[in-house]
Amino acid sequence: MFEITKAHIAHAERIQALLVQLGYNASIAEVKSGLDSQDLHSDLYVATLEGRVIAFMSLIYFYYFPIQKQNCRITAIVVDEQVRKTGVGTQLIQYAQVKARQRACAQLEVTTSLERKATQAYYEHAGFIKASFRYYLNLSNKAFNI
């Protein structure tokens, strides 16, 4: 069986490899920096099997003004391709629910790419409600024009 624990620097290389599977190209240095700079409003967890990181999940906790309550968002969750469909993802989501309740959050949110149809179906099967679209503006190279 696998174990879920807080992530630390020793997990950086495996987390970076999992980020690649998720479609992100963060360097080891960036991952280490992110692990070093976690704040009170975020957590990063790994799932390990026999000492090897097989999945990770990042959470943020924030006050969501429209509902006047605290929320928790899964900002990243990925299970190694070799161990998908073994229940690891479900266990991580259940763990996130526990952490969110411990912080008196009203909701647990998750986002995923529009292209990940199977992932969307998985979340809906797990009880998540599709409620909105997420848009972003890349601030490093564009100005907002109206």
Side-chain angles (χ1 to χ4, degrees):
M1 199 64 201
F2 61 90
E3 178 181 17
I4 299 172
T5 59
K6 279 249 192 182
H8 53 80
I9 292 293
H11 301 132
E13 287 186 27
R14 282 294 299 147
I15 290 171
Q16 189 268 344
L18 289 168
L19 280 169
V20 169
Q21 289 184 25
L22 196 57
Y24 295 96
N25 292 313
S27 69
I28 297 292
E30 290 169 325
V31 171
K32 286 181 178 180
S33 176
L35 288 165
D36 277 342
S37 66
Q38 287 190 55
D39 62 30
L40 297 174
H41 302 289
S42 67
D43 286 319
L44 183 61
Y45 297 98
V46 293
T48 57
L49 179 64
E50 298 174 357
R52 177 174 160 71
V53 174
I54 58 170
F56 86 91
M57 172 178 68
S58 60
L59 304 176
I60 59 170
Y61 311 97
F62 60 99
Y63 183 75
Y64 189 54
F65 187 82
I67 65 170
Q68 299 291 301
K69 303 215 187 273
Q70 189 78 0
N71 263 12
C72 177
R73 179 179 294 150
I74 300 171
T75 60
I77 183 170
V78 61
V79 176
D80 190 300
E81 295 166 335
Q82 297 177 2
V83 293
R84 289 184 186 158
K85 299 188 187 286
T86 62
V88 178
T90 299
Q91 290 292 321
L92 282 168
I93 290 170
Q94 290 171 346
Y95 194 83
Q97 289 178 49
V98 169
K99 292 300 179 184
R101 284 187 180 106
Q102 287 174 349
R103 291 193 177 226
C105 293
Q107 297 176 336
L108 175 64
E109 304 176 352
V110 64
T111 60
T112 188
S113 167
L114 292 172
E115 290 82 36
R116 293 187 178 114
K117 301 294 184 195
T119 303
Q120 293 168 33
Y122 171 79
Y123 290 141
E124 289 175 25
H125 179 75
F128 286 90
I129 299 165
K130 189 179 204 175
S132 66
F133 287 100
R134 176 182 169 261
Y135 295 89
Y136 71 93
L137 183 64
N138 188 343
L139 298 176
S140 63
N141 57 9
K142 281 191 177 182
F144 183 70
N145 296 316
I146 295 180

